[in-house]
Amino acid sequence: MLGRTDFPLTVDGVQQARRVARRLATYTFDAVYSSPLQRAVATAREVVALHRVPLHWCPGLQEIDCGHADGLDVETAKRRYPELWKLNDDQQDPDFRWPGGESYRDLRRRALAACGTIAARHPGGAAVVVTHSGVINQVLGSLAGLSAAAWKPMRPDHCTITAVEWPPRPSSRPWSLLVR
C-alpha cells in the first residue's frame, strides 16, 4: 500500500525504467510529465535522458493517498483494518477512503483534471505521463465507464506503457503514454 509513501526505485525498478525509456524510442512526443514521487521521477528522468524533451512535475499525477494505511504491507492492512479491507476489496463504494486518506472518487477527479490539463497543453501532439497504477486505473476506468471504486479491472503492472487518446476520438492518434 505504497500510495504516497515515497520510496525510491529498487535496483529492478531502475532496470525497468531504463527498458521502458528504450521502448519509447519509436514514439515522438513533446514533453514528459511526472508525479513528484521518487519512483516516478526516476523513471521520468530515464525517459528524458534518452529523448531530450522537457520534464514537468505534476502533483495531480501522484498515487492515491492511503492515509493511515499508507506504507503498510497488505497483510498488516488486512489485520489492522479488517472491515475497511473488505469494503475496499468489494469495490462498490467510490467514496471509500482509508482513515485520513483520499477517496477513489477524489482520486479520479484529480487524475482526470491533471490529464486534461496536460492534453490541453499539447493539442495535436503527444506527451508521456509517468504516474502510478491508481491514476492509470482511474483514467482507464473512466474511459470504460467503470465506477471509481473498481480498482482491480484496469490495474497495470509495474513499468508498463499504456497509450491513451484524449479526448477519446475514434480516428486520432494517442496524445499521451501513461507509464507506471
Side-chain angles (χ1 to χ4, degrees):
M1 306 224 3
L2 284 179
R4 299 275 177 94
T5 302
D6 200 10
F7 289 125
L9 286 177
T10 63
V11 172
D12 286 342
V14 171
Q15 292 305 314
Q16 289 174 338
R18 289 179 179 154
R19 280 195 300 272
V20 83
R22 288 191 303 268
R23 284 180 30 216
L24 291 172
T26 60
Y27 292 91
T28 301
F29 45 89
D30 307 321
V32 174
Y33 291 82
S34 177
S35 156
L37 297 176
Q38 291 181 69
R39 55 197 188 265
V41 170
T43 302
R45 285 188 171 139
E46 292 292 337
V47 174
V48 168
L50 284 181
H51 299 276
R52 302 183 196 269
V53 294
L55 174 58
H56 306 280
W57 311 121
C58 183
L61 297 174
Q62 292 182 84
E63 183 59 283
I64 191 168
D65 182 350
C66 295
H68 303 306
D70 214 303
L72 297 178
D73 64 80
V74 170
E75 292 309 313
T76 301
K78 286 179 181 179
R79 279 193 312 275
R80 190 171 294 173
Y81 303 106
E83 294 87 16
L84 289 176
W85 184 265
K86 182 174 178 355
L87 288 172
N88 179 55
D89 202 41
D90 287 345
Q91 301 181 66
Q92 298 299 312
D93 182 3
D95 293 312
F96 173 85
R97 69 181 71 231
W98 295 101
E102 175 180 34
S103 73
Y104 289 117
R105 185 185 311 271
D106 291 342
L107 170 60
R108 176 168 288 182
R109 190 176 302 121
R110 175 171 55 81
L112 293 175
C115 289
T117 298
I118 293 166
R121 290 181 183 162
H122 302 279
V128 170
V129 174
V130 182
T131 189
H132 309 276
S133 61
V135 172
I136 296 170
N137 182 57
Q138 290 301 330
V139 170
L140 296 178
S142 174
L143 294 173
L146 298 175
S147 165
W151 54 268
K152 288 180 184 177
M154 300 290 183
R155 186 174 177 82
D157 288 332
H158 292 286
C159 224
T160 58
I161 298 172
T162 305
V164 176
E165 190 175 283
W166 198 282
R169 290 184 310 266
S171 63
S172 65
R173 73 180 181 89
W175 71 268
S176 69
L177 299 167
L178 299 168
V179 176
R180 173 182 182 251

